[in-house]
Amino acid sequence: GPIYAMAFDTNAQLIVAGDFATVNGARTVRTARLNRDGTVDPTFNPGAGANGVVFAAAIQTTATNNGVIIGGNFSTVNGTNQPFLARLTSLGALDTSFRAGTGPDAVVRAVAVQADGSVVIGGDFTSIGGTILRRIARMNPDGSGDATFNPGLGANGPVRAVAIQTDGKILIGGDFTSINSTNINRIARLNPDGSLDAAFNPGLGADGSVNSIVVQPDGTILVGGAFVAFNGFTRNGLTRLETDGTFDLGFNAGTGATGGAVNALALRS
């Protein structure tokens, strides 16, 4: 079955997540860990796994924990109620110390972990644990809601990508056309407190969904998705923005990605 998310753990092993039941014949439901040579790591055992698709995965490393945050369209993990967002231990078991109350009320499509272990999530949800948070939220390292993060009215459409800058600001992409009632098409930047960063101006933005965002070492921003134009320029599925969100004319992938969307981006060293 399909893989929707990948993340390297601290040992350079590869976490893969999606909508599969086996990897190379080994039963490892919707989440697995591969050794450096690509073989399945049998020490990582998610048991019955998530009972629905896993769309996002990220490694969370703190002083007391080394786990895997997963988000998706599931309601249980290994038979335990854990809707849409969960943490697995380094051995794949559900980490019951990570509790988000009743959790998100709908699908989680993107997960990113901040340097302090806090977890930023994006998706289709409109509340977390009963608190209104429209499609973007931040959890404390233990899974509880972070009350200091306030995006106001949030996004008016699904958030499909989240990336953390080194200064703590948060880039989000998706299908939205406004953040907290401010018009901004499908990519935006939030301040660390969740408010919209008015200094980030992508102009007309993307004319289709933004599915992936990666920040380069110099702060420029790679954007992938289902768009065919960005800020009025023809760009099929792939473009780059300057640090302030303005269009980078110097980055041109020619005809770009045709016949489908760019759903994932990663940087080489």
Side-chain angles (χ1 to χ4, degrees):
I3 291 172
Y4 292 115
M6 297 190 291
F8 281 108
D9 70 9
T10 54
N11 295 319
Q13 291 173 298
L14 184 65
I15 299 293
V16 296
D19 197 19
F20 51 84
T22 66
V23 179
N24 195 27
R27 183 171 175 80
T28 177
V29 180
R30 296 190 174 93
T31 312
R33 186 165 63 200
L34 307 183
N35 296 311
R36 298 185 191 190
D37 63 359
T39 56
V40 177
D41 180 358
T43 68
F44 186 89
N45 181 10
N51 70 339
V53 184
V54 177
F55 288 120
I59 305 301
Q60 183 196 46
T61 301
T62 66
T64 58
N65 184 75
N66 184 15
V68 182
I69 306 293
I70 60 172
N73 189 19
F74 52 83
S75 59
T76 67
V77 177
N78 200 19
T80 299
N81 289 336
Q82 191 76 38
F84 308 113
L85 181 69
R87 183 169 68 196
L88 307 182
T89 70
S90 60
L91 297 178
L94 176 65
D95 185 346
T96 56
S97 68
F98 183 87
R99 300 300 297 177
T102 55
D105 66 349
V107 180
V108 171
R109 298 186 181 276
V111 173
V113 178
Q114 295 185 309
D116 66 352
S118 297
V119 180
V120 181
I121 63 173
D124 301 356
F125 54 85
T126 57
S127 72
I128 304 287
T131 299
I132 299 298
L133 282 163
R134 294 180 177 89
R135 303 177 182 90
I136 184 74
R138 185 168 64 203
M139 325 300 290
N140 293 312
D142 64 358
S144 60
D146 183 349
T148 68
F149 185 84
N150 181 11
L153 295 175
N156 71 340
V159 172
R160 300 180 180 276
V162 177
I164 311 297
Q165 294 188 169
T166 54
D167 61 0
K169 292 187 177 184
I170 301 161
L171 291 158
I172 61 173
D175 297 326
F176 54 83
T177 56
S178 75
I179 300 292
N180 198 20
S181 296
T182 298
N183 292 336
I184 189 163
N185 288 324
R186 301 179 180 89
I187 187 166
R189 186 166 65 196
L190 307 181
N191 294 308
D193 64 359
S195 60
L196 183 66
D197 182 0
F200 184 85
N201 183 9
L204 296 174
D207 68 347
S209 179
V210 168
N211 299 333
S212 184
I213 302 171
V214 171
V215 182
Q216 294 190 291
D218 64 357
T220 54
I221 301 157
L222 290 168
V223 182
F227 50 85
V228 296
F230 200 101
N231 199 20
F233 294 90
T234 299
R235 289 293 187 269
N236 285 321
L238 182 64
T239 194
R240 186 169 67 189
L241 308 182
E242 303 287 359
T243 56
D244 62 358
T246 54
F247 188 75
D248 184 352
L249 284 169
F251 183 87
N252 187 351
T255 56
T258 58
V262 175
N263 294 322
L265 293 169
L267 288 180
R268 295 179 62 178
S269 58

